[in-house]
Amino acid sequence: MASLGELERAVMDVLWAAPEPCTARDVQDALSTRELATTTVLTVLGRLERKGLVSRARDGRAHRYHASGTREDHIAALMRDALEGAPDRGAVLVRFLGAMPPEDQAALRDLLR
Amino acid sequence: MIPASVALLALGVLLAEPVSRALAAARWPNRDPTGALLLWQAVGLAGGLALLGAGLTFGLAPLGDSLPAAVAALADHAGRREWPPGLGPWQLLALAATLVLAARLLGVLGLATARTLRARRRHRDLLDVLTTPWPAMAGARVLAHPMPVAYCLPGLRSRLVVSEGALAALSAGELAAVLAHERAHLRERHDLVVLPFVAWGATAPWVPGMARAQLAVAALVEMRADDVARASAGELALAGALRRVAGAIGASERATLTSFSAAVGGRLHRLDQCPDRPSRTVRAATRLAALALVAVPTLALLLN
């Protein structure tokens, strides 16, 4: 049984590869080799939505899901989160190279765009 | 109890200013970061106890000869629903100020903790979806980005993150040094050591001692992690890793000398100098001093 994290990654891969928004059924079919229950897919989609990675729109009676940004966008956001942050933001995370002062953060932001 | 109150106030002020200034400017912490960290914790704790204790003993002075006696007398009067004799406006002012300070210190710490946990959870949630587990090391994850970074997310559900850029830029030995450094932060819970100083530094930024304490503690925590990494991976590997990661980030910016590269320079210098640890006696004395520092106001409050 795959871990939740692994399932979330698999579902995101499906959504990122899909040309248009998918229903939960579409996602389930794309991951047919895993033999996932519909409830499992819905749970994962719900979690991803709460995390801000997936958006949902109503299409008649069905819901269609799509990724809220590309993988690169989200990774860049993670990097910004990891590298920015004034020292007084607290011990949220600890970088190998310590905090980055504000002047450098602006330069870094441009770089990561 | 009034003399005790004055003494405690003096202790509090001493710790807040001259002592913290002296400790922040001292050179010996370079050689014994753990001892210095313990001393800083003691300075913070003793300072808080002293200031709060000063207000408490002054406010309750009319009620008894010692603090426990005065508190008992207060409870007694309260139980009989009568106003404690001798409790005038000055005493009330002192007690109110003490209460306000205590509430502020605890409140700020609580808020900072909640904010930190929330930010960490948000980052961790995204991390678990956007990174892949790294097979070479349990609990480590790889972030698909060309910029070389390494960081850890402390806490009960900790994460250690290395970027693809870091994996590409660093040699095996240098990578081992980075991982050892990050794992030291996680294992020794440096986040718990740093958080109170960050929280209280934000409360009273006009008190220079607090800002100094915050910076000193952050730097000492890095020194401690560097020491652990040097012991397991060697200083060449650690220095190499520092240079490479700093160089990659520095080369991509247009800024030349920044405080960031100055901090890296400081750590490289310390690795290069390879300062000797103080003798076991001195190290023990430091730790004993930290213990004594906290014991003094505690005993003063209890025994008087």
Side-chain angles (χ1 to χ4, degrees):
Chain A
M1 178 61 197
S3 71
L4 199 52
E6 216 219 300
L7 283 177
E8 288 178 341
R9 282 195 296 278
V11 169
M12 282 314 297
D13 285 340
V14 169
L15 292 177
W16 276 319
E20 49 182 35
C22 312
T23 61
R25 191 55 202 263
D26 294 336
V27 173
Q28 193 180 7
D29 291 340
L31 298 171
S32 57
T33 49
R34 291 173 181 264
E35 296 183 344
L36 300 166
T38 318
T39 48
T40 312
V41 175
L42 284 169
T43 305
V44 173
L45 284 167
R47 281 174 62 92
L48 290 170
E49 198 184 342
R50 268 197 308 280
K51 292 185 182 185
L53 291 162
V54 162
S55 304
R56 173 170 49 143
R58 201 173 213 129
D59 178 26
R61 279 179 56 196
H63 289 276
R64 288 194 172 269
Y65 301 84
H66 62 278
S68 61
T70 65
R71 189 200 303 259
E72 288 70 33
D73 288 341
H74 289 300
I75 287 182
L78 263 186
M79 285 287 288
R80 274 197 300 277
D81 200 34
L83 291 173
E84 282 182 12
D88 65 339
R89 231 185 52 153
V92 176
L93 54 87
V94 192
R95 305 171 197 87
F96 180 58
L97 279 184
M100 202 164 266
E103 348 32 294
D104 298 350
Q105 291 183 25
L108 195 69
R109 210 171 298 131
D110 295 334
L111 209 75
L112 290 173
R113 194 152 298 146
Chain B
M1 286 217 286
I2 306 277
S5 168
V6 173
L8 284 169
L9 184 65
L11 180 64
V13 170
L14 239 112
L15 288 173
E17 257 309 295
V19 170
S20 71
R21 191 199 303 261
L23 192 53
R27 305 299 296 252
W28 66 264
N30 260 354
R31 304 192 286 139
D32 185 14
T34 311
L37 281 167
L38 285 169
L39 212 50
W40 273 115
Q41 305 290 310
V43 166
L45 196 56
L49 277 175
L51 289 174
L52 292 173
L56 208 57
T57 44
F58 181 82
L60 295 179
L63 293 177
D65 286 331
S66 74
L67 191 62
V71 170
L74 182 70
D76 186 47
H77 286 298
R80 281 187 271 139
R81 296 203 193 288
E82 57 191 36
W83 189 257
L87 219 60
W90 288 114
Q91 284 72 27
L92 286 176
L93 192 63
L95 289 174
T98 307
L99 214 64
V100 165
L101 182 63
R104 185 134 166 84
L105 289 174
L106 289 174
V108 163
L109 188 60
L111 276 174
T113 308
R115 228 177 13 237
T116 301
L117 288 176
R118 205 162 42 232
R120 247 187 235 164
R121 195 193 52 224
R122 209 174 46 229
H123 191 97
R124 189 176 51 231
D125 280 349
L126 293 177
L127 216 53
D128 288 345
V129 183
L130 295 165
T131 58
T132 46
W134 192 34
M137 193 186 119
R141 310 187 74 87
V142 182
L143 185 61
H145 197 283
M147 182 163 286
V149 290
Y151 64 94
C152 65
L153 227 64
L156 292 171
R157 277 166 294 185
S158 63
R159 301 279 188 271
L160 208 159
V161 183
V162 198
S163 69
E164 280 179 358
L167 290 177
L170 300 170
S171 70
E174 290 165 352
L175 196 58
V178 171
L179 293 174
H181 176 102
E182 292 302 311
R183 278 216 297 271
H185 282 315
L186 291 176
R187 200 174 42 236
E188 298 184 3
R189 293 309 304 268
H190 291 166
D191 59 306
L192 293 176
V193 172
V194 167
L195 186 58
F197 289 92
V198 163
W200 293 329
T203 2
W206 60 84
V207 178
M210 303 247 51
R212 257 182 261 122
Q214 190 183 324
L215 289 170
V217 169
L220 285 168
V221 150
E222 290 305 320
M223 284 186 216
R224 170 64 191 158
D226 277 348
D227 283 349
V228 174
R230 175 171 59 191
S232 77
E235 59 205 53
L236 281 175
L238 184 58
L242 276 168
R243 280 199 197 89
R244 250 193 247 281
V245 181
I249 296 182
S252 55
E253 299 170 33
R254 271 71 72 193
T256 44
L257 195 69
T258 63
S259 57
F260 171 69
S261 44
V264 176
R267 282 168 69 185
L268 283 170
H269 182 75
R270 182 172 175 266
L271 279 177
D272 194 46
Q273 298 288 57
C274 202
D276 295 319
R277 279 216 300 184
S279 71
R280 193 176 303 188
T281 324
V282 173
R283 287 206 316 273
T286 312
R287 283 140 181 81
L288 223 64
L291 207 62
L293 201 52
V294 178
V296 164
T298 315
L299 289 173
L301 286 173
L302 291 176
L303 303 175
N304 194 19

